[in-house]
Amino acid sequence: MSETPKKASNEGFLWLLFSAGGVVAAILIPIQLFLFGLAFPLGWLPQPSYDHLVYLMSSPWVRLYLFVMCSLPLFHWAHRFRFTLYDGLQVKHLNEVIFAFCYGGALVGTVLAAYLLLSI
Amino acid sequence: MADKIVLEIARYAPERDDKPSFQSFEVPLRKEWVVLDALNYIKDKVDGTLTYRWSCRMGICGSCGMMVNGEPKLTCATFLTSYGNNATVRVEPLRYFPVIRDLVTALSDFLVKLQKVKPWLIHPNQPPLSAGEFLQTPEQLDLYKQFSMCINCTLCYAACPVVGLDQEFVGPAALALAQRYNLDNRDQGSAERLATLAHPDGIWGCTFVGECTRVCPKHVDPAGAIQQYKLTAALDWVKSFILPRGHKDAPQETAHD
Amino acid sequence: MTEMSELNQAAHTEFHPRWYRKRLSTWWWLGEWHYLVFILRELSSLSVAWFVGLTLFQLRAFMRGPDSYGRFTDTLQSPIMIALNLIAFCFIMLHAITWFNLAPRAMPVRVGGKRVPEFLVAAPNYVLWIAVSAFVAWLLLRTS
Ligand code: SF4
Ligand code: FES
């Protein structure tokens, strides 16, 4: 019990991000991955035309939707994967490195998503 | 041919052995016998040195927990017949605990953790006895009742991989018991408990494997208690962040400063 | 605890027992069915990251124009990508289902002081899931 309570509080914040990301990932990703990853490439359903996508992307709501769909699930990944590495491989001594890799990755992905969606 | 069953029992004598080994015993298979009856049969009739704990033989004292075929079980509530005639049943001490002898585990570690979460009513401004009894509605009782059913059998510790991975992890039963007192409206100790509970070795160490809940013989649902407390602690953090001063019952402040 | 491990290492004497403590193997999650399901559930996070990465590439291709986007959708048709996406989809479904089913345990709902049965709390999750999925599919498939 050496760490300061401050650190403990941050865990709460990270856990909130993890949970919010978990909800978003559970509700939004299955249909999105099913359509773009399987149904369209395999020709089960007609691929939406580029113009239709342009039309959809012109809405700020769609872009906000895509931003949420990218950023929160990344923080979900960061949290879960951090613990999978700690526990699954018993590498808790690499604590700082893993922490930086996971949350750093999530931050970079979030910034990238914001950049792409703003410049479209 | 009389029904029988073979028990493969982990034996460990600290003055003699470096590590445990298994010894097989053949035991008659009686319809109403539980694993504990077989152990008592061996101790009475075959080998008096076999060492294990038990007391109530009715699932209430929580002392007879062992690994039976790799599953944490109360041996007084695990019927031999469920393993079938001529079966071999492996009996080991509860996993992840240090072993003192044969099937007896060291509980001091667990008891230290239990004490750390202060599982008792903390009630600084208790009204005098003359003020009468403390009334609690069935709804208020229902909030914590499930978590109060724990018998400290430590089966949930033997089920939890985080306990095995991290000796400092407070663990399922202690966290659930802390929540039992946090949710009791007579208790005012949640602020005192917060530092221990909302800690990387407390609730934040839990990854919701859920095995503790599956093996608990008293349906305590420690995993649920821990997740519920995670939400409380996280929202509390948000509240104290947004309203650092106005936050009325800011437990973090009182606990840490 | 630290005193414990010291005790644990000490030699056996009459009043100072030597305890036996087994270390958890690195492969603990392979040994037991429940642990294996748990670790698969946790590994679903990799599929989440995979999907987001894919989406970022998709957005980049989209931004660069129809030709670039066409090349991106062609890549998605390669057998390798289909296989990877199929695996990712299975893991995402594992995540979604375990998430919806476990949520009521983390957030119990009480009505009139009694706890609502878990399946009744989980049901709205599924309804919402289906509704959102249908709406997204409708947006993408409707011909403007
Ligand atoms: S929570 Fe259940 S399994 Fe754990 S010690 Fe209490 S009664 Fe035993
Ligand atoms: S002997 Fe008391 S619980 Fe089994």
Side-chain angles (χ1 to χ4, degrees):
Chain A
M1 299 266 157
S2 49
E3 271 129 312
T4 59
K6 189 95 201 106
K7 172 107 195 264
S9 318
N10 292 344
E11 281 289 345
F13 175 63
L14 297 176
W15 181 81
L16 275 185
L17 282 178
F18 158 77
S19 305
V23 173
V24 170
I27 291 184
L28 301 185
I29 295 185
I31 181 69
Q32 200 88 18
L33 186 57
F34 174 75
L35 290 176
F36 284 102
L38 297 171
F40 296 153
L42 289 170
W44 294 344
L45 289 167
Q47 184 99 243
S49 71
Y50 188 80
D51 291 340
H52 183 55
L53 291 179
V54 169
Y55 162 73
L56 285 177
M57 291 294 276
S58 65
S59 154
W61 293 112
V62 169
R63 276 181 279 169
L64 182 67
Y65 166 88
L66 288 175
F67 178 70
V68 170
M69 191 186 75
C70 288
S71 61
L72 283 177
L74 278 178
F75 284 94
H76 171 81
W77 162 79
H79 189 90
R80 242 188 189 173
F81 194 57
R82 171 164 68 112
F83 279 96
T84 312
L85 290 180
Y86 286 174
D87 297 344
L89 299 177
Q90 298 193 23
V91 287
K92 218 165 185 166
H93 52 282
L94 297 176
N95 207 328
E96 271 84 29
V97 184
I98 295 175
F99 193 93
F101 169 71
C102 290
Y103 289 103
L107 272 178
V108 169
T110 301
V111 170
L112 272 180
Y115 165 74
L116 286 169
L117 287 163
L118 284 175
S119 50
I120 280 172
Chain B
M1 197 182 80
D3 289 347
K4 62 171 182 60
I5 196 160
V6 177
L7 255 58
E8 257 177 24
I9 300 178
R11 303 296 307 264
Y12 170 69
E15 68 277 11
R16 196 183 57 220
D17 308 332
D18 275 335
K19 56 180 175 43
S21 52
F22 283 97
Q23 192 180 354
S24 294
F25 296 92
E26 205 180 280
V27 176
L29 178 64
R30 308 252 165 86
K31 191 166 147 257
E32 54 291 314
W33 269 17
V34 290
V35 174
L36 181 63
D37 289 316
L39 293 177
N40 285 338
Y41 173 90
I42 295 167
K43 190 166 177 81
D44 290 347
K45 302 260 161 73
V46 189
D47 182 350
T49 66
L50 182 64
T51 313
Y52 52 97
R53 287 196 188 104
W54 68 287
S55 175
C56 70
R57 54 109 187 89
M58 52 187 283
I60 205 62
C61 73
S63 56
C64 68
M66 296 166 207
M67 304 299 290
V68 182
N69 276 354
E71 276 275 303
K73 291 274 189 199
L74 289 183
T75 47
C76 69
T78 306
F79 283 91
L80 285 172
T81 42
S82 61
Y83 298 97
N85 193 7
N86 277 321
T88 304
V89 177
R90 222 166 222 246
V91 186
E92 295 161 271
L94 282 179
R95 190 165 48 179
Y96 309 141
F97 285 96
V99 181
I100 297 176
R101 179 182 295 272
D102 291 349
L103 300 165
V104 177
T105 56
L107 288 175
S108 21
D109 201 359
F110 168 68
L111 293 172
V112 168
K113 291 172 179 174
L114 198 57
Q115 213 166 14
K116 213 157 56 181
V117 305
K118 308 191 177 180
W120 51 79
L121 283 179
I122 298 175
H123 202 163
N125 309 314
Q126 196 157 10
L129 269 185
S130 54
E133 66 275 64
F134 197 109
L135 293 178
Q136 198 164 48
T137 65
E139 287 78 24
Q140 288 165 335
L141 172 68
D142 196 60
L143 274 181
Y144 68 82
K145 189 169 172 212
Q146 181 182 23
F147 305 144
S148 74
M149 305 306 280
C150 175
I151 57 173
N152 294 350
C153 65
T154 69
L155 294 196
C156 50
Y157 283 68
C160 172
V162 182
V163 168
L165 288 159
D166 178 4
Q167 289 191 24
E168 305 284 325
F169 179 48
V170 176
L175 291 171
L177 267 176
Q179 190 62 344
R180 173 250 174 276
Y181 286 94
N182 281 341
L183 294 175
D184 189 325
N185 67 329
R186 294 168 294 178
D187 180 85
Q188 292 157 13
S190 55
E192 275 178 50
R193 292 187 195 101
L194 190 85
T196 311
L197 299 181
H199 187 279
D201 290 328
I203 49 170
W204 303 125
C206 165
T207 47
F208 207 172
V209 185
E211 283 293 279
C212 51
T213 297
R214 190 178 63 82
V215 302
C216 175
K218 294 288 158 187
H219 309 290
V220 171
D221 191 10
I226 295 170
Q227 310 320 306
Q228 288 162 34
Y229 191 67
K230 280 183 186 170
L231 189 63
T232 316
L235 292 179
D236 217 87
W237 181 88
V238 173
K239 258 192 256 161
S240 66
F241 191 76
I242 300 173
L243 318 158
R245 290 284 149 248
H247 187 205
K248 254 271 183 184
D249 46 5
Q252 268 139 336
E253 245 78 317
T254 40
H256 303 156
D257 295 345
Chain C
M1 327 253 97
T2 32
E3 319 93 75
M4 294 279 295
S5 34
E6 276 158 31
L7 260 186
N8 206 5
Q9 259 123 51
H12 175 81
T13 63
E14 195 177 351
F15 300 109
H16 192 175
R18 182 176 51 129
W19 293 341
Y20 173 76
R21 187 164 213 157
K22 202 158 107 190
R23 259 194 64 83
L24 195 61
S25 124
T26 308
W27 313 108
W28 58 270
W29 34 271
L30 277 180
E32 217 174 290
W33 170 243
H34 292 104
Y35 285 175
L36 188 66
V37 173
F38 160 74
I39 213 79
L40 289 177
R41 184 192 89 192
E42 297 301 289
L43 283 176
S44 71
S45 71
L46 283 176
S47 294
V48 171
W50 161 261
F51 167 79
V52 174
L54 201 67
T55 305
L56 291 179
F57 273 104
Q58 186 180 18
L59 285 174
R60 193 181 72 152
F62 175 80
M63 206 177 82
R64 293 186 172 170
D67 293 342
S68 168
Y69 190 72
R71 278 196 300 280
F72 178 81
T73 48
D74 286 347
T75 318
L76 285 189
Q77 285 175 344
S78 74
I80 294 265
M81 289 303 271
I82 298 276
L84 286 172
N85 278 330
L86 184 66
I87 295 169
F89 180 70
C90 294
F91 273 102
I92 293 282
M93 289 302 279
L94 178 67
H95 162 68
I97 289 166
T98 50
W99 193 270
F100 294 143
N101 289 348
L102 288 176
R105 294 255 303 281
M107 272 181 263
V109 178
R110 285 167 200 278
V111 173
K114 282 275 164 243
R115 225 175 130 167
V116 180
E118 275 170 22
F119 72 94
L120 277 184
V121 185
N125 295 343
Y126 284 95
V127 172
L128 180 71
W129 186 31
I130 292 168
V132 169
S133 301
F135 181 66
V136 170
W138 173 75
L139 271 185
L140 283 167
L141 290 171
R142 127 192 114 114
T143 41
S144 51

